[in-house]
Amino acid sequence: MLGINDPQIWLAYLLSVLSALGCVIYGLMHWNDKDPLEES
Amino acid sequence: MASSIVLGIAVLIYLMITFYLGWMGYKQTKSTDDFMVAGRKVNPFVLALSYGAAFISTSAIIGFGGYAGAFGMGILWLVFMNIFVGIFIAFVVFGSRTRRMGVNLKAVTFPELIGKRFQSRFIQGFSGLLIAVFMPLYASSVLIGGARFMETALGIDYNTAVLLLTIITAAYVITGGLIAVMYTDAMQGTLMFVGMTILMVYTYVNLGGVTSAHLALTNLASMVPEAMAQQGHTGWTSMPAFGSPIWWTLVSTIILGVGIGVLAQPQLAVRFMTVKNTTSLKRAVLSGGPFIFMMVGVAYVVGALSNVYFINTRGMLSMDVAGGNIDKIMPEYINSAMPDIFVVFFMLTLLAAAMSTLSSLFHNMGTAIGHDLYRESIMRGKIGHTISITKLGIAITIVISVILAYTLPIGIIARATAIFFGLTAAAFLPMYAGAIFWKRMTKEGAIASLLVGTFSSLFWLTFVHAKEATALGISQAIFGQATLLTGTWTLVDPILVATPLSVFVAITVSLLTKPASEEHIKKCFGN
């Protein structure tokens, strides 16, 4: 995959990209969260 | 070599913006809280960029990028760890609890948060001392990274570069406190993001696209030098041979040491206490993840791919082009492969990367001495000359960092960074995690964990882990042998031994001792 034969490497490459995207999605989903314990 | 006039103007503009933000920080700093935790009202975008820029230094880009150039893409696991553990777990799981407890206990530094949670001035003082003694090692490796690039790109003498970098950064940290540090960090982070994006796009386009660039690198596997192949090197797009010396260093020191160690970095944890609510932390994840990806992901991929470029253009591997010094691989690549105007931009990117990390380290070492050691441990909480001592502390630790930058051996950047991260993981992480997640953890458990983590980590470094033990020579001097244990043990990083020990001690001692009063726990955790 992606010109890399060793699955231990392309998996790391793929997981890095996916986790960065995951962070964006998480941030958007919780953008307007209200925490009842917090001061606003 | 970049055109010196363009570079001169660019650096001047950059410095003017830096000083403007530093001055803004100075104007806004009216109280101790402002100097220490930026008044607890920092915007999430500034938090994410500042955290990321402080986290990612020239160590990551130059040191670890160079490591990828020498040993290949196995280090991409660290990118995944940096994003998942260093951003997601850190902000969402640790960050929100840290922030809330910081407010409940009115703590302004990382050691103070832990010290107040366990009602122990000893913990605060000892943690402060540990930071003051060992953080200069990390700071000096960041200095070396920045100075090496200035040496290669600008043709400035290395020693002069170290001094220039230090004086400029020290000026705004000492005057503007954490507000200045975070705002300059955010500006520097933006610059880094743009610079690394250009580096990635340019490198891939230059080598014919993502897949063909990787493929060309895969095909270089047969060129691995014999000496490195014997150490476990199998090529630049495959993991080193399982259990080989290179494998152990990569997995235990770099991926686990730095990947997990980041959670207990005092200069990063203190940033969680600068925002006003948990939502800010969640919002910060959005920009934090992609930012880290663009920093370390790009640095490591490009570092590895530099081999393809150098083979194509000079018929040499990156390691040989750099004369065997892995810290010079990235500067050499950027200088030869990128157009002059981008070299100028990278100069700024790396200057920004070095300064943003240095500023937060300087600030943190200063508060460790001024606030944690002087005010809380020596003055028993009286304010005394806290801010002056903090500023003096910043100055002293800066001098030590500069001396280290002059004296540490070459090719040390990645290793010195890993040593510091490993030590903080063993000493602070079990105690810090217990402090914010485990109500039953006691003062005695925390002290035991702190001491066992610190000393077992230092013991392993000095007497067992071959890379440091041999270099230090203490074991040789006392026992007449380079390391006390032999075989695979000498390859296992201290973090794998010291952190589990520290966790074990924290749990056992806590369960054997009397828990803190319910009233105190309520105060710490809120209702």
Side-chain angles (χ1 to χ4, degrees), chain B residues 5-241:
Chain B
I5 297 175
V6 179
L7 187 54
I9 295 172
V11 172
L12 208 65
I13 296 175
Y14 165 77
L15 288 179
M16 280 166 65
I17 302 176
T18 304
F19 280 121
Y20 172 71
L21 291 169
W23 181 73
M24 256 179 53
Y26 171 69
K27 295 290 277 185
Q28 287 181 24
T29 301
K30 296 190 178 73
S31 65
T32 315
D33 252 21
D34 290 337
F35 192 87
M36 302 277 179
V37 286
R40 297 191 208 272
K41 47 185 184 235
V42 169
N43 161 299
F45 182 69
V46 172
L47 167 72
L49 281 183
S50 152
Y51 181 96
F55 178 6
I56 303 304
S57 60
T58 37
S59 287
I61 298 174
I62 303 274
F64 287 43
Y67 185 91
F71 300 102
M73 288 188 175
I75 195 172
L76 282 176
W77 282 105
L78 180 59
V79 179
F80 170 65
M81 292 290 281
N82 282 163
I83 299 171
F84 185 70
V85 179
I87 295 289
F88 188 77
I89 303 277
F91 278 60
V92 177
V93 183
F94 280 71
S96 52
R97 294 247 179 173
T98 306
R99 194 205 71 78
R100 201 175 303 157
M101 197 174 280
V103 173
N104 292 345
L105 296 175
K106 298 190 174 60
V108 294
T109 65
F110 175 80
E112 183 172 43
L113 177 80
I114 313 278
K116 285 193 167 169
R117 158 69 176 85
F118 293 116
Q119 298 167 295
S120 161
R121 286 220 160 95
F122 172 78
I123 291 184
Q124 186 173 357
F126 189 84
S127 305
L129 187 69
L130 211 57
I131 293 170
V133 173
F134 289 98
M135 203 180 261
L137 185 68
Y138 179 32
S140 69
S141 76
V142 175
L143 260 178
I144 296 173
R148 281 276 172 238
F149 191 81
M150 288 169 83
E151 182 191 24
T152 324
L154 286 173
I156 298 181
D157 170 55
Y158 170 75
N159 295 335
T160 317
V162 168
L163 278 182
L164 273 177
L165 207 55
T166 313
I167 292 169
I168 296 167
T169 315
Y172 70 81
V173 180
I174 294 178
T175 51
L178 197 60
I179 299 180
V181 170
M182 288 185 79
Y183 279 87
T184 47
D185 276 2
M187 181 272 289
Q188 288 154 347
T190 312
L191 206 60
M192 288 157 71
F193 192 88
V194 177
M196 295 306 280
T197 309
I198 297 172
L199 180 64
M200 177 183 76
V201 173
Y202 195 89
T203 302
Y204 272 135
V205 168
N206 213 4
L207 299 176
V210 176
T211 308
S212 46
H214 294 167
L215 210 56
L217 186 63
T218 305
N219 293 336
L220 292 185
S222 59
M223 298 189 66
V224 172
E226 186 49 38
M228 281 167 99
Q230 276 176 4
Q231 298 278 305
H233 200 321
T234 60
W236 286 269
T237 59
S238 51
M239 281 296 273

Side-chain angles (χ1 to χ4, degrees), chain A residues 14-37:
Chain A
L14 211 64
L15 280 175
S16 304
V17 176
L18 290 179
S19 54
L21 288 176
C23 282
V24 174
I25 295 168
Y26 179 89
L28 288 175
M29 280 173 60
H30 294 271
W31 194 261
N32 289 317
D33 271 12
K34 283 265 182 292
D35 187 337
L37 289 173

